[in-house]
Amino acid sequence: MQFSTRYILLFSTALCLISSSMLSIAAVGLRDRQELNKVLDKKKSVLQACRLMKPTDRFSAEEVEAIFQNIEPKVLDLTTGTYAEGVDPKIFDPAKAPIAPAPKNSAQIMNMATQVLVYHVMKEGQLDMLVLPIYGKGLWGTLYGYMAVDADATTVEGITYYDHKETPGLGGEVDNSRWKGLWPGRKVFDEAGQVALKVTKGPAGPVDQDPHRVDGLSGATITSRGVTNMLQFWFGPNGYGPYLEQFRKNGSVQS
Ligand SMILES: Cc1cc2nc3c(=O)[nH]c(=O)nc-3n(C[C@H](O)[C@H](O)[C@H](O)COP(=O)(O)O)c2cc1C
């Protein structure tokens, strides 16, 4: 059967219009669900950082929410090192937080939110751990994750990354459970209160003998250095340093 040029053009235009409308409807219709999934994904990442969830666990949204009953979100003002007044952590959107130019730093953070969402992990009514967002440049882009520390504000409980562009098998090994398992028990600060935790080139010793160093990722020195740089920044004076110092000195933070 022969079709005229006019018929072919009209047919393909109609097909394009119908499929693009269907795609737009699907994108708009699924946007809310995508946002909910992103929030759920971040919550799972928080749980993995404080090791209340293993990477192999397949928790439903309800199961995640049940564990979150014992986790209190707090909005931390990085300019004061105290909790932001009049900001409800339940509705706080970190993406809409006030932004300021970051002080010069090796994590290559140019602009930063001055308010961040941190988490108090509670156990029998007492503070058990703090979970803090961290981010900074690796080789291919920014790595976003969380680090959990004990209530002593220096002993690492865990680390996890939920978004990065590093190469699978190289820098992407930041996701490797074995590597993440090397972190718990290490110390962020040295005796003088300086940030001492870093990813070394090559292997580090066991936790009790080498508390401030973690094995480097082999073939991924740039990513490893990126992790060190972001720890230096986030646990230093322009990040969580002043906030955590209050925990180390007083065991709490003035609200
Ligand atoms: C295709 C490709 C992907 C790479 N991905 C990474 C990466 O994700 N992270 C990283 O640090 N280095 C990566 N590298 C290696 C770096 O270019 C660089 O050689 C490496 O960081 C040096 O690490 P090394 O001293 O441990 O060998 C990649 C190299 C190639 C060719």
Side-chain angles (χ1 to χ4, degrees):
M1 193 193 285
Q2 277 283 354
F3 293 109
S4 67
T5 310
R6 190 176 129 83
Y7 177 87
I8 293 168
L9 280 174
L10 278 174
F11 183 82
S12 42
T13 310
L15 197 65
C16 285
L17 281 175
I18 292 169
S19 32
S20 57
S21 319
M22 280 167 69
L23 270 175
S24 310
I25 292 167
V28 171
L30 291 173
R31 194 176 295 152
D32 286 352
R33 205 192 289 182
Q34 280 174 344
E35 287 307 315
L36 282 176
N37 278 340
K38 267 194 206 164
V39 172
L40 180 64
D41 213 44
K42 272 198 186 176
K43 285 189 165 178
K44 286 182 180 175
S45 198
V46 168
L47 295 184
Q48 286 184 31
C50 59
R51 293 188 295 149
L52 293 175
M53 178 178 175
K54 293 197 277 299
T56 47
D57 284 335
R58 294 279 166 263
F59 289 163
S60 65
E62 290 72 28
E63 285 169 313
V64 169
E65 286 308 325
I67 307 174
F68 257 80
Q69 293 303 308
N70 291 317
I71 299 181
E72 295 173 4
K74 307 261 182 194
V75 179
L76 174 66
D77 187 332
L78 290 168
T79 60
T80 60
T82 55
Y83 300 120
E85 272 177 45
V87 188
D88 182 355
K90 296 247 157 55
I91 54 167
F92 173 75
D93 180 355
K96 295 185 183 145
I99 300 285
K104 198 167 179 288
N105 63 85
S106 49
Q108 297 179 53
I109 297 166
M110 304 300 171
N111 295 303
M112 61 188 286
T114 54
Q115 293 180 342
V116 292
L117 202 54
V118 302
Y119 300 89
H120 281 198
V121 182
M122 308 301 287
K123 193 174 184 183
E124 288 153 13
Q126 300 288 318
L127 178 69
D128 189 31
M129 290 175 254
L130 295 163
V131 183
L132 311 167
I134 51 172
Y135 61 84
K137 278 271 157 58
L139 174 62
W140 302 115
T142 304
L143 293 99
Y144 297 88
Y146 290 102
M147 176 165 269
V149 291
D150 279 348
D152 68 2
T154 192
T155 308
V156 176
E157 195 59 46
I159 189 168
T160 191
Y161 287 100
Y162 61 85
D163 189 12
H164 66 79
K165 297 180 176 58
E166 304 307 273
T167 313
L170 294 170
E173 290 297 285
V174 290
D175 288 333
N176 182 311
S177 301
R178 194 202 70 83
W179 186 73
K180 289 192 284 189
L182 299 171
W183 289 80
R186 310 268 169 188
K187 307 284 179 193
V188 176
F189 299 99
D190 63 14
E191 301 290 305
Q194 298 297 310
V195 186
L197 187 59
K198 60 162 156 174
V199 180
T200 173
K201 195 166 163 70
V207 170
D208 50 340
Q209 290 163 28
D210 205 357
H212 298 123
R213 302 191 320 150
V214 175
D215 289 8
L217 297 163
S218 60
T221 301
I222 299 167
T223 308
S224 302
R225 208 178 292 139
V227 174
T228 299
N229 291 341
M230 80 177 78
L231 295 178
Q232 278 289 330
F233 178 76
W234 285 108
F235 289 89
N238 299 308
Y240 304 120
Y243 168 66
L244 294 178
E245 197 177 350
Q246 297 171 71
F247 279 100
R248 292 203 304 285
K249 287 196 173 142
N250 317 320
S252 65
V253 165
Q254 233 186 327
S255 303

